[in-house]
C-alpha cells in the first residue's frame, strides 16, 4: 500500500466500519452487500474487457453476454428480493445501465401491475423465461415530459377485433426506450386510444416488434438503435416506427381501463394508482445521486492524498495536494454533500414505504406531499451531483480526463438522471405548485401538517422581505438546529415571494397561466430552498441516531460544513431576508476554513467508509491501495492503439506525404 | 426552412450581418472567413464519416488522413498567415484537435524561437517537410503544473559529447503530449540538465523517438498512446519512457542557454523571453471559450425555437419552449456571456499585440499585468463556459444527450481547457498574487496604473467591510457604467479582504507560505471578482464603438443582462459590502425578467449573428433550417448498430438462454 494513504488511515479518529454500517442501514446490510459483491467479483463468468477499449458494438455484445449470465445466476442462487437483484446487477454492470434493464424494471413490473389474469396467463411465463424480451415505449421524438402530447395512435377495428397502431408523423416515432433498438422482441407501447371515433387518451399496448424466432422486425415495423450518446453505450436505446401494425384487442393492458369487443370504453376506477411507481423511481434516483457522488469523492480524495505537487514551503518536499486549502474547499463540501444525500436517500425510501403502506390501506392523504418531495429532491440532488462529479474530476488535474480515472464514465452515466423520469426544471415546478398551494391554504387559515408545516409559521410571523432587525442576533451559527431554522425561514420567505409574484402578475391582468410562467424563476428558487432545507434538516436529525462519540463528532463536522457551505453559496438569500447579518456571514466563512482543517485528517477514512469495492469503482486514481502511477501505465499499455507498434496511418498518409512536399 | 425559425428571423429588430461584422472585427474579416470555409467545406478531400460512428483507431486514421491533406492544401493555396492557418484547421477538423497540432503549434514554433542558426540548418527543412514530425514533451505522469518538480534528466557525458536522457521513476514518464503516442518521430523533451555534477534546471532537447524510415521506436525508448480520454479521441496523447537514451550535445536547444563542449554551462540572458508564448496561448483560450459557448447557444436557442412542449394555456397549441421563462433564464444569460467573452477575447488579443510590441522594443513594464490578466481570464472564461455548455445541453431535454446534437462533443473537447496551459485554480492564484502585490504597493503610497488602478481608489476611500450606508443610493442599476462601478468596488473590497486575511495569518505567527495557503479561498474569490469586473467593463466599453442604433440597442440589453445576472448570482457579495441595498437587489431580479422578454424576439437572430457554418456546428438540433426531427432519424439509421437488422448477440446469448431457463 502507498505509504501516504496508509498514514492517512492510521490518523483517522473514528472506526470506519461503524460508519459504514450507519451508511448501509445496519451491520446485517453491510454483510449481505459484501456477500453479493464477493459472489459477482469472484465469478469468472463476469470477467470483462474494459469497455473503454471496445467499440460500441463490442460493448453492447459484452453487456448482453453478462446480462444473460446474470439471469441464470440469479435463479441459480435464488436471489429474488428486488433490492438484492438491483444490487447484484450493479456489480455485474458496475456503474453502467444494461440492455435488459427495461425488461426487468419496466416491462415485467408493468405486466404485473396492469395485466388482467388472462393476460398474465399469456404473457408472464414467456416474459419470465426471456422468450419475450420487452421494453417500455413511451417517449417520442417530439414528446417527452408532456405526456398528453404523445401522438402515437391505437385505433380499434371492431370488424377484426384488432387495434391498428400508427406513428403518424416523424415526431411521433418512439425514441429513447432502452433495449428497444436491438434487444427486445416486444414493447409496451403507450398510445392514444381511439374507438368509435372517440379518443380516450393514453393506454398501454403489448406490441410484438420482432419475430420471436428469427428476431427480424415484424411487418409494418421499423425499429433500430438511435445512435451513440453521451454515456449509455451498452444500451441500445431505440426508435420504433409503426405503420398500420395490427394487434389483437386482448393486447391492451386492461386491468384498470377496458375496451369491450363492441368498442365501448370503460374508465379506470382511479387515476392515482400509477403515481406510486413514479415516486418510487424518483426516490431511487436520490440514492443514486448519493452513490455517484460517493464514488467521485472516493476517487478524488484518495488521489489527492497520494498526489504531490508544488510547494507550500520553498525547499520542502512537495505536499500532498489534499493539503491545499483550495483543494479542501473543492472536495470537503462535496464529501459532506455525499453524506447528506445518502441520508436523504434513506429518508426518502423510508417515507416511501411508510406512505405506500398507508396507500394500500386506502389512505392517499400523504401522497401529494410525497410526490412533491420526490420530484423536488430528485431535481435537487441530481443537479448538485451532476456538477459535483465534474468538480471532482477537475480536481484530479490532467489524469481526471483519462478514462482510467473512471470519472468521465461516472459523469456520462449519471448525467441523464437530470432529464429522465421527469426533467429537473419541470420537477422543481411541480414541487413549487405544491408549495404555493400549501402557502395559500395556510394563508386561508388552514393548519398545514407534514414537512410544509413551516408555512404556518410564516403566516404567524408575517415575515417581511426586510425582516425584523432583532432576529439575526438569535441565530447561533455554530448550532446546527439554529441553522436548520434559518434554512426553514429562507424557504418560507422564498415560497412567499413566489406566491406574491404570481399574485402581482394576476393583479396586472395576466391569466393564471401567464402569471405562473412569469413567476417561474421565483418558483424554481423556492423549490430549491425548500429541498435544501429538507436536506439540512434530515442530516441534522440523523445525528440524533448516532451513538458512537467519535463517529458522531466527525458526522457533526460534516453536517455543519454542509449547512455553512450552503449559506456562503447563497449568502444573498440569507442577507436579503435579514436572516443573517453581515458579520455572521463573515463568521461562517471563517468557520468553514476551520472545519476544512478539522476534517482534513479524517478525509480518507470518510471516503473509505463508503466501502466501495475497487472493482465497482474501477478507477486507477481511486484504488484502495493508492498505487496509482504503476497501474495507470499498465492500463495505458493495453490501449487498442498500442496493439501495433506502428499505426497503419503512417504508411498510408504520413510517409507518402514527404514526397509530395 | 422550418416555419417557426423563419418567423423568428422575420421578427428580428436588427441587421444580423452588421452584428456579425462587429463580432468578426470588420466586414473584411467576415468575408475572408467565409472564403476559407467555402474552400474547406466544398473540398471532397475533406469529406469524412461522422467520428461518432467510428472506432478510436478509425477516428485517428481519418484525422491523420485529413491532416496530411491539409498540409498539402495550405501550401497549394499559399495560406501562410498563422491566424488563417488556425482558422483553416478549425474547418478541417471542426471542433476537434488533431494529431499534428503539436507539430504545428509547439514543435515548429519552439524550434523557431529557441534553435541556434546551426540547429535551424539541421532541423528546419525536415520539420517543414514533415520528415521530422515533432511534439513537445513536458508534462510527466507525476508533474504538471509545478514545472520545477519535473524528474526527467539529461546528463552530459563529456567523453562522447552526448546527453544521456532518463526517466528514472514511473512518475517521471512523460505523459499527455499530443501526437506523441503514434504520430511523432521526434520530441522536444524538457529535462533537468546535469553537467559536471551540477543541476542547471530545465532545458529543451530534441530527441528522436522513432526511426524516420521504419517509424519503429528508437533503442531505449518506450513510447505509446495513453489510452482513451474524455474527448480528444483523434489525438494520440502519448507516454515516453527514456532509458539511457543518448543524443548529441548539439540537440540541446541553445539559442539562449548553452552547454560548452567541456561541460561548462552558460546562463540565458533573460528569463522573461518564454513568458510571451504562454500569455498568447492563454489569450487564445479566452477566444475559444467564446467560440464554444457561441456554438452551444446557437444549438440550444435554435432548437428551443422549433421544439414545442406542454401547455402554458390549457387547450392552446403547445408553445415553443423558448417561451418558457425558465428556458429563457437558462439560455439568455449564457447568450450574453458568449457576447461578453467574444469581446474580452478581442480585447486580450489586442492587448497582447500592443504589449508584445512594447516588449520587442525592450519595454517589459506591462508584462506582469498582461500575465496576470491572461491567467485569470483564462480560468474565469473556461470555468464559466465549461458549466454553460452543460446547461445548454440539458436545456435540450433528452435529445441534448444524443451525439447528433454535437453538445456532448463540444463539452468533452472544450473541458480540458480548464486544466491545460495552467490549471485554473493555480491560474486564479497567480492573478491573486499580482492583485495582492498591487494592493500592497497602493497601500505603501505607490500610484498604480493600468487595470488595477482601482486599487488606488480603495486606498483613497478606505473601504470598510460594512460600507457607508449612503453609498448604495448613488447606484443606478439601469445604468451600465454605474454597474461597472459596483463590480469594481466589489473587486477592490475582495482584494482587500484577501490581503487582510494574509495579514491576519501572519499576525498569528504563520509563515508567509502558510498564510498564503490559509487565505487561498479568499484569493481565488478576489481574482474571480477582478476578472468579472474586467469582463463587464470591456463589454460596456465595446458599446461605445457600436454606431448602428438597432445593434447598439440589442447589445446594450445583453450587456445589462450579463451584468445584472452576475449581480443576482453573487448578490451576497454586493449586499455584504453594502454596495447594493436589499431593494436594489430585488429590483435587479425584476429587471432581469424584463430583459428576458425584451431579448426574446431577437434570440434566434443573436445566435445567427455568430454565423457558425452548419458543417462547423455539425449538430442536428442546431441546423440553420430548423429541420431537426427528419435529420435526427436519418442520422440514427446510419448508426453502426443498425448495420445488420439482427445483432449477433441475439444468436450468441439471448436465444440459447431460453433453453436454460
Amino acid at each position: 500500500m502507498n505509504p501516504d494513504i496508509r498514514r492517512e488511515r492510521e490518523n483517522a479518529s473514528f472506526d470506519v466500519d461503524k460508519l459504514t454500517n450507519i451508511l448501509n442501514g445496519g451491520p446485517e446490510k453491510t454483510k449481505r452487500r459484501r456477500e453479493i459483491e464477493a459472489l459477482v467479483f469472484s465469478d469468472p463468468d463476469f470477467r470483462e474487457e474494459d469497455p473503454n477499449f471496445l467499440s460500441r458494438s463490442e460493448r453492447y455484445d459484452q453487456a448482453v453476454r453478462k446480462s444473460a449470465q446474470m439471469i441464470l445466476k440469479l435463479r441459480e442462487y435464488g436471489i429474488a428480493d428486488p433490492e438484492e437483484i438491483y444490487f447484484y446487477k450493479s456489480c455485474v454492470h458496475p456503474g453502467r445501465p444494461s440492455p435488459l434493464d427495461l425488461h426487468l424494471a419496466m416491462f415485467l413490473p408493468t405486466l404485473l401491475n396492469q395485466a388482467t389474469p388472462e393476460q398474465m396467463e399469456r404473457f408472464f411465463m414467456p416474459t419470465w423465461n426471456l422468450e419475450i424480451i420487452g421494453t417500455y415505449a413511451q417517449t417520442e421524438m417530439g414528446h417527452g415530459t408532456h405526456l398528453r402530447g404523445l401522438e402515437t395512435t391505437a385505433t380499434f377495428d371492431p370488424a377484426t377485433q384488432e387495434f391498428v397502431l400508427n406513428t403518424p408523423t416523424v415526431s411521433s416515432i418512439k425514441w429513447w426506450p432502452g433495449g428497444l433498438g436491438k434487444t427486445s422482441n416486444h414493447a409496451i407501447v403507450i398510445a392514444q386510444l381511439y374507438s368509435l371515433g372517440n379518443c380516450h387518451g393514453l393506454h398501454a399496448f403489448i406490441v410484438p416488434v420482432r419475430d420471436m424466432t428469427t428476431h427480424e422486425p415484424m411487418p409494418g415495423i421499423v425499429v433500430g438503435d438511435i445512435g451513440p450518446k453521451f454515456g449509455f453505450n451498452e444500451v441500445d436505446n431505440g426508435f420504433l416506427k409503426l405503420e398500420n401494425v395490427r394487434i389483437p384487442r386482448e393486447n391492451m393492458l386492461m386491468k384498470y381501463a377496458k375496451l369491450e369487443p363492441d368498442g365501448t370504453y370503460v374508465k379506470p376506477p382511479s387515476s392515482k394508482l400509477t403515481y406510486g411507481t413514479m415516486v418510487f423511481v424518483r426516490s431511487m434516483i436520490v440514492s443514486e445521486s448519493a452513490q455517484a457522488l460517493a464514488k467521485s469523492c472516493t476517487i478524488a480524495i484518495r488521489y489527492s492524498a497520494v498526489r504531490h505537487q508544488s510547494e507550500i514551503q520553498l525547499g520542502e518536499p512537495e505536499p500532498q495536494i489534499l493539503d491545499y486549502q483550495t483543494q479542501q474547499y473543492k472536495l470537503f463540501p462535496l464529501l459532506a454533500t455525499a453524506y447528506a444525500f445518502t441520508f436523504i436517500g434513506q429518508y426518502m425510501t423510508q417515507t416511501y414505504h411508510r406512505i405506500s403502506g398507508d396507500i394500500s390501506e386506502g389512505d392517499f392523504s400523504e401522497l401529494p406531499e410525497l410526490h412533491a418531495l420526490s420530484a423536488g429532491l430528485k431535481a435537487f440532488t441530481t443537479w448538485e451531483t451532476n456538477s459535483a462529479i465534474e468538480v471532482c474530476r477537475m480536481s484530479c488535474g490532467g489524469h481526471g480526463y483519462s478514462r482510467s480515472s473512471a470519472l468521465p464514465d461516472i459523469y456520462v452515466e449519471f448525467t441523464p438522471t437530470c432529464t429522465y423520469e421527469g426533467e429537473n426544471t419541470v420537477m422543481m415546478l411541480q414541487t413549487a405548485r405544491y408549495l404555493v398551494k400549501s402557502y395559500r391554504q395556510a394563508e386561508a387559515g388552514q393548519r398545514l401538517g407534514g414537512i410544509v408545516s413551516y408555512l404556518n409559521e410564516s403566516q404567524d410571523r408575517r415575515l417581511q422581505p426586510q425582516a425584523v432587525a432583532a432576529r439575526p442576533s438569535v441565530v447561533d451559527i455554530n448550532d446546527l438546529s439554529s441553522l436548520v431554522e434559518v434554512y426553514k425561514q429562507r424557504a418560507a420567505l422564498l415560497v412567499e415571494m413566489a406566491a406574491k409574484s404570481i399574485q402581482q402578475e394576476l393583479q396586472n391582468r395576466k391569466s393564471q397561466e401567464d402569471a405562473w410562467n412569469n413567476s417561474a424563476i421565483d418558483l424554481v428558487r423556492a423549490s430549491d430552498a425548500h429541498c435544501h432545507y429538507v436536506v439540512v434538516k434530515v442530516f441534522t436529525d440523523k445525528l440524533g441516531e448516532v451513538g458512537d462519540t467519535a463517529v458522531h463528532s466527525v458526522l457533526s463536522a460534516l453536517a455543519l460544513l454542509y449547512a455553512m457551505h450552503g449559506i456562503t453559496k447563497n449568502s444573498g438569500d440569507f442577507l436579503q431576508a435579514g436572516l443573517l447579518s453581515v458579520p455572521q456571514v463573515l463568521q461562517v466563512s471563517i468557520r468553514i476554513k476551520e472545519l476544512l482543517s478539522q476534517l482534513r485528517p479524517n478525509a480518507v477514512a470518510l471516503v473509505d467508509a463508503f466501502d466501495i469495492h475497487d472493482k465497482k469503482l474501477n478507477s486507477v486514481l481511486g484504488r484502495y491501495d493508492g498505487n496509482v502511477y504503476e497501474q495507470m501505465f499498465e492500463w495505458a499499455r493495453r490501449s487498442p492503439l498500442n496493439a501495433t507498434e506502428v499505426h497503419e496511418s503512417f504508411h498510408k498518409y504520413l510517409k507518402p506525404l514527404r514526397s509530395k512536399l
Side-chain angles (χ1 to χ4, degrees), chain A:
Chain A
M1 193 182 298
N2 174 294
D4 286 317
I5 209 158
R6 175 183 299 131
R7 198 172 48 247
E8 294 291 334
R9 290 180 176 127
E10 286 163 2
N11 290 341
S13 70
F14 65 95
D15 181 339
V16 169
D17 267 345
K18 282 187 183 156
L19 183 48
T20 300
N21 290 336
I22 293 171
L23 290 167
N24 288 166
E28 282 310 308
K29 294 239 181 186
T30 305
K31 189 165 157 276
R32 182 61 180 150
R33 178 176 59 70
R34 288 178 180 162
E35 278 169 11
I36 294 176
E37 282 174 354
L39 218 54
V40 176
F41 293 137
S42 66
D43 190 333
D45 286 336
F46 290 132
R47 262 190 220 138
E48 61 167 20
E49 176 58 285
D50 188 322
N52 285 304
F53 295 153
L54 303 178
S55 73
R56 171 97 200 284
S57 179
E58 290 164 342
R59 290 177 78 143
Y60 171 70
D61 192 275
Q62 175 163 280
V64 173
R65 172 177 67 75
K66 290 197 301 169
S67 292
Q69 285 289 352
M70 180 182 80
I71 302 278
L72 284 173
K73 308 258 169 171
L74 284 170
R75 306 226 173 142
E76 185 184 323
Y77 298 134
I79 297 174
D81 175 62
E83 210 178 304
E84 293 200 346
I85 293 177
Y86 174 81
F87 188 73
Y88 191 94
K89 193 238 127 188
S90 78
C91 297
V92 174
H93 302 279
R96 298 187 293 267
S98 83
L100 288 185
D101 282 359
L102 265 82
H103 176 80
L104 298 170
M106 287 298 292
F107 190 87
L108 204 59
T110 305
L111 211 57
L112 290 168
N113 291 331
Q114 297 185 38
T116 62
E118 296 75 16
Q119 289 175 323
M120 283 297 281
E121 188 76 16
R122 274 166 66 210
F123 292 115
F124 183 76
M125 279 317 291
T127 301
W128 184 248
N129 290 332
L130 278 288
E131 287 165 80
I132 288 179
I133 302 172
T135 181
Y136 189 85
Q138 177 177 293
T139 302
E140 297 171 357
M141 210 193 265
H143 285 94
T145 299
H146 182 59
L147 291 187
R148 277 197 305 269
L150 293 176
E151 298 174 73
T152 302
T153 56
T155 308
F156 184 57
D157 178 356
T160 61
Q161 291 289 303
E162 288 172 320
F163 288 105
V164 187
L165 280 93
N166 275 294
T167 47
T169 58
V170 177
S171 59
S172 68
I173 296 172
K174 293 291 178 187
W175 206 264
W176 282 110
L180 171 61
K182 311 305 284 185
T183 313
S184 302
N185 55 24
H186 280 68
I188 290 177
V189 172
I190 308 302
Q192 305 283 359
L193 165 59
Y194 283 86
S195 177
L196 308 176
N198 296 315
C199 178
H200 299 290
L202 295 175
H203 290 79
F205 303 84
I206 296 185
V207 181
V209 294
R210 290 178 179 271
D211 183 277
M212 285 172 69
T213 312
T214 65
H215 212 60
E216 293 286 340
M218 301 292 280
I221 280 179
V222 185
V223 66
D225 176 75
I226 62 163
K229 298 139 293 183
F230 208 34
F232 276 55
N233 282 301
E234 273 72 17
V235 182
D236 52 322
N237 298 81
F239 61 77
L240 176 65
K241 199 163 175 285
L242 299 160
E243 291 163 356
N244 293 314
V245 172
R246 289 182 165 262
I247 57 169
R249 184 183 64 88
E250 294 81 7
N251 276 25
M252 171 176 155
L253 288 173
M254 292 211 238
K255 185 164 170 189
Y256 302 117
K258 286 182 182 49
L259 198 82
E260 306 287 359
D262 65 354
T264 309
Y265 177 73
V266 184
K267 271 191 183 173
S270 162
S271 63
K272 277 182 188 157
L273 292 158
T274 51
Y275 241 29
T277 322
M278 215 155 65
V279 170
F280 176 70
V281 174
R282 289 176 191 158
S283 304
M284 290 282 289
I285 293 177
V286 172
S287 293
E288 280 172 25
S289 297
Q291 186 65 14
L293 190 47
K295 275 188 183 178
S296 306
C297 287
T298 302
I299 297 167
I301 288 177
R302 284 187 185 156
Y303 178 59
S304 297
V306 300
R307 174 81 173 181
H308 290 254
Q309 195 76 195
S310 261
E311 299 165 319
I312 291 179
Q313 303 283 357
L314 205 75
E316 293 284 302
E318 296 180 277
Q320 294 161 283
I321 59 174
L322 201 53
D323 286 334
Y324 287 97
Q325 190 183 62
T326 47
Q327 189 77 349
Q328 295 169 7
Y329 192 58
K330 281 178 197 170
L331 296 177
F332 295 174
L334 302 183
L335 176 63
T337 306
Y339 273 86
F341 288 0
T342 303
F343 297 135
I344 196 79
Q346 291 175 352
Y347 170 82
M348 281 304 299
T349 308
Q350 287 156 7
T351 310
Y352 169 76
H353 286 304
R354 180 172 57 76
I355 297 183
S356 58
D358 296 346
I359 291 174
S360 67
E361 288 166 19
D363 174 4
F364 290 89
S365 61
E366 285 193 76
L367 190 57
E369 171 165 325
L370 180 62
H371 180 256
L373 194 62
S374 64
L377 285 174
K378 180 264 184 188
F380 183 82
T381 58
T382 56
W383 265 336
E384 287 287 316
T385 301
N386 194 65
S387 52
I389 296 167
E390 287 301 84
V391 172
C392 289
R393 179 176 62 74
M394 292 197 275
S395 79
C396 295
H399 297 327
Y401 293 84
S402 168
R403 292 274 172 180
S404 69
S405 77
L407 288 161
D409 286 310
I410 294 173
Y411 185 65
V412 298
E413 302 300 351
F414 180 78
T415 185
T417 60
C418 295
T419 304
Y420 65 46
E421 301 297 333
E423 197 279 329
N424 274 359
T425 301
V426 177
M427 292 298 95
M428 282 297 196
L429 287 170
Q430 285 190 6
T431 302
R433 203 171 282 280
Y434 178 73
L435 294 172
V436 169
K437 197 176 154 194
S438 301
Y439 172 83
R440 286 186 184 146
Q441 287 170 342
E443 205 180 25
Q446 210 172 310
R447 293 305 289 181
L448 303 170
I451 208 132
V452 290
S453 59
Y454 65 85
L455 294 171
N456 297 325
E457 297 171 36
S458 84
Q459 289 307 317
D460 298 347
R461 294 195 200 162
R462 287 250 123 259
L463 272 171
Q464 296 300 322
Q466 279 106 303
V468 191
R471 193 178 313 116
S473 61
V474 303
V475 177
D476 174 0
I477 62 149
N478 288 305
D479 174 45
L480 260 170
S481 59
S482 200
L483 296 182
V484 172
E485 189 62 26
V486 293
Y487 270 97
K488 186 169 85 178
Q489 290 182 24
R490 168 185 176 233
L493 191 83
L494 290 177
V495 172
E496 185 177 16
M497 277 174 67
K500 286 194 170 157
S501 166
I502 296 172
Q503 221 169 308
Q504 185 74 45
E505 292 283 331
L506 290 172
Q507 280 165 8
N508 293 339
R509 298 173 182 221
K510 293 280 160 62
S511 69
Q512 191 70 47
E513 294 84 359
D514 284 336
W516 179 264
N517 187 34
N518 293 345
S519 307
I521 297 170
D522 310 282
L523 289 161
V524 170
R525 201 173 151 206
S527 284
D528 181 79
H530 172 74
C531 293
H532 210 153
Y533 153 64
V534 175
V535 174
V536 173
K537 183 180 184 313
V538 167
F539 199 164
T540 305
D541 290 349
K542 186 76 194 179
L543 295 175
E545 300 171 19
V546 178
D548 184 90
T549 321
V551 171
H552 189 276
S553 162
V554 72
L555 279 183
S556 299
L558 279 177
L560 211 47
L561 180 62
Y562 181 76
M564 287 188 166
H565 188 254
I567 287 173
T568 56
K569 288 284 147 193
N570 301 281
S571 60
D573 285 0
F574 294 93
L575 289 168
Q576 222 174 314
L579 297 169
L580 293 173
S581 66
V582 170
Q584 282 177 321
V585 170
L586 288 172
Q587 260 180 288
V588 166
S589 307
I590 292 164
R591 275 294 282 144
I592 286 175
K593 290 187 191 178
E594 291 167 6
L595 285 167
L596 297 180
S597 303
Q598 191 181 327
L599 285 164
R600 168 67 188 84
N602 280 320
V604 168
L606 280 165
V607 297
D608 284 350
F610 292 129
D611 194 27
I612 302 167
H613 196 288
D614 265 357
K615 290 217 175 175
K616 231 180 153 180
L617 209 52
N618 198 23
S619 166
V620 157
L621 301 186
R623 297 167 59 87
Y624 187 81
D625 68 10
N627 294 328
V628 166
Y629 297 135
E630 297 78 358
Q631 293 301 321
M632 198 183 301
F633 190 40
E634 199 172 287
W635 182 86
R637 299 197 76 165
R638 280 167 41 218
S639 166
L641 271 194
N642 296 328
T644 56
E645 196 66 82
V646 179
H647 194 268
E648 53 178 351
S649 58
F650 172 74
H651 299 293
K652 278 156 68 183
Y653 314 118
L654 292 177
K655 209 171 175 190
L657 181 62
R658 293 174 182 171
S659 58
K660 296 177 197 162
L661 291 171

